[in-house]
Amino acid sequence: MSEFDLIRRFFTRDTPHAILGVGDDAALLQASAGNVLAVSSDMLVCGTHFLPDADPFLLGHKTLAVNLSDMAAMGAAPRWAVLAIALPEADEAWLAQFSAGFFALAQQHDVELVGGDTTRGPLNLCVTIFGEVPAQQALRRSGAQVGDEIWVSGCLGDAALALAHLQGRIALSAAELAACLPALHRPQPRVALGLALRGIASSAIDISDGLLADLGHILEASQVGAQLDFAALPVSPVLNNCVSRTLARQCVLSGGDDYELCFTAPAVHHAELADIAARHNLPLTRIGKIVAGRGCIVHDASGNPLNVEACGYDHFR
Ligand code: ADP
Ligand code: MG
């Protein structure tokens, strides 16, 4: 199978919303009236983000999901993607599964694959995604104001707990693992939530490196501080019942791979947020508030500050 057969067979689909898709030297794209392009890349590297024997269908899903999550965090509607892929070999069964997982999620979100690059090398998957958003409505990290409330979607820590099990750091029962594993292998990007938060959230970020690290980016960009209520943090029953409280706390505060949205909003939007949560069948939980100053203080149930290290995953630390 030549490189071009491979691209044609596995990565070429209709792209009705692109002026030109796969097959030329570049794709041609046009943002619709009133919108600007939101552009972001995320790379998954074998050995760093996944193991060599990872299920290719789930890998295809996750490769796109982590990019869709960035669009969600920006309040952008995802439209197009390009895929740069390095493969050790042209394994047809693997490619069929990978592209099926990728396109299943792409179709769900109306995203078109309009180009990319294919080379031989250690397995490496990089998507660049293009979305649309009215410039003034983009959800930036820099908009949090003192007095705003801090919210998160879904629940936190399950992906990190599943990973801890796979790495032998804790032993979950089969039922517990089955409950946590989808968070790690099949994250659901909160695209609809991101769109609904336009005009409501003052800032937003997706949680890929852990709540404290990613909220920290909002605090830094907005030049404010935060107080969090540890007892309010939304967790699954499995995490809540985890025998190691230290590990559970780590997973929730700095586990990473959650792909939930963390956002701030003025308190006047409370009712609208409850409505959005109901409409999207997605829990939204108020976890704290923005305060003057710098840094983040996490209070325990009795109001005492927890001693937490803001230790999100950093590839170069
Ligand atoms: P060039 O030599 O100009 O870089 P390529 O031969 O790499 O072009 O790619 C040919 C066409 O196939 C281009 O339109 C490119 O965008 C597309 N393409 C290459 N790899 C992929 C891929 N993995 N997924 C989608 N499109 C791809
Ligand atoms: Mg090329």
Side-chain angles (χ1 to χ4, degrees):
M1 187 171 45
S2 80
E3 177 188 328
F4 303 102
D5 291 336
L6 185 160
I7 295 166
R8 208 172 304 121
R9 267 184 66 188
F10 297 109
F11 297 115
T12 306
R13 302 274 176 103
D14 281 349
T15 56
H17 297 102
I19 298 168
L20 189 62
V22 170
D24 214 309
D25 296 308
L28 299 174
L29 309 174
Q30 168 101 63
S32 54
N35 288 301
V36 294
L37 287 176
V39 182
S40 168
S41 289
D42 244 320
M43 179 158 65
L44 298 188
V45 177
C46 185
T48 304
H49 299 97
F50 61 90
L51 299 171
D53 63 349
D55 178 299
F57 184 94
L58 295 173
L59 204 50
H61 173 98
K62 191 161 178 177
T63 300
L64 184 58
V66 299
N67 283 274
L68 289 169
S69 183
D70 284 320
M71 293 290 102
M74 213 64 202
R79 292 282 187 255
W80 304 286
V82 297
L83 170 65
I85 183 168
L87 298 164
E89 56 182 336
D91 177 339
E92 294 189 23
W94 190 95
L95 279 160
Q97 284 300 305
F98 176 83
S99 69
F102 184 98
F103 281 114
L105 187 64
Q107 201 167 25
Q108 210 178 310
H109 291 276
D110 256 328
V111 169
E112 298 173 352
L113 184 64
V114 294
D117 197 26
T118 306
T119 69
R120 187 187 290 272
L123 185 56
N124 193 328
L125 310 160
C126 181
V127 165
T128 299
I129 194 158
F130 301 78
E132 294 187 302
V133 62
Q136 297 309 316
Q137 289 186 34
L139 305 177
R140 302 184 186 209
R141 297 177 177 184
S142 54
Q145 302 279 334
V146 172
D148 284 355
E149 296 176 327
I150 305 169
W151 297 77
V152 291
S153 64
C155 60
L156 302 175
D158 278 358
L161 190 61
L163 184 64
H165 172 93
L166 297 181
Q167 292 174 336
R169 289 187 283 127
I170 190 171
L172 299 175
S173 72
E176 288 172 333
L177 183 61
C180 291
L181 213 47
L184 180 65
H185 283 161
R186 216 165 180 169
Q188 298 301 315
R190 305 306 188 189
V191 174
L193 174 61
L195 295 177
L197 291 177
R198 287 179 181 175
I200 292 177
S202 51
S203 71
I205 193 166
D206 67 319
I207 305 176
S208 53
D209 297 330
L211 174 66
L212 291 183
D214 288 317
L215 175 59
H217 296 314
I218 286 185
L219 301 182
E220 204 172 307
S222 301
Q223 304 199 299
V224 292
Q227 291 183 0
L228 294 185
D229 176 6
F230 186 77
L233 298 179
V235 298
S236 69
V238 174
L239 205 129
N240 205 29
N241 295 327
C242 176
V243 288
S244 166
R245 295 323 295 161
T246 308
L247 178 68
R249 195 163 92 182
Q250 259 173 20
C251 289
V252 176
L253 292 175
S254 44
D257 256 2
D258 292 304
Y259 300 106
E260 296 294 348
L261 296 189
C262 175
F263 59 94
T264 60
V268 292
H269 291 304
H270 232 110
E272 282 157 282
L273 287 166
D275 186 56
I276 289 169
R279 267 206 326 263
H280 295 276
N281 194 23
L282 175 65
L284 296 179
T285 308
R286 187 167 54 105
I287 60 169
K289 62 176 187 235
I290 296 292
V291 297
R294 289 290 187 282
C296 179
I297 299 173
V298 185
H299 293 285
D300 68 13
S302 29
N304 299 315
L306 279 177
N307 181 17
V308 291
E309 275 259 272
C311 51
Y313 193 73
D314 180 329
H315 289 276
F316 294 102
R317 204 158 56 186

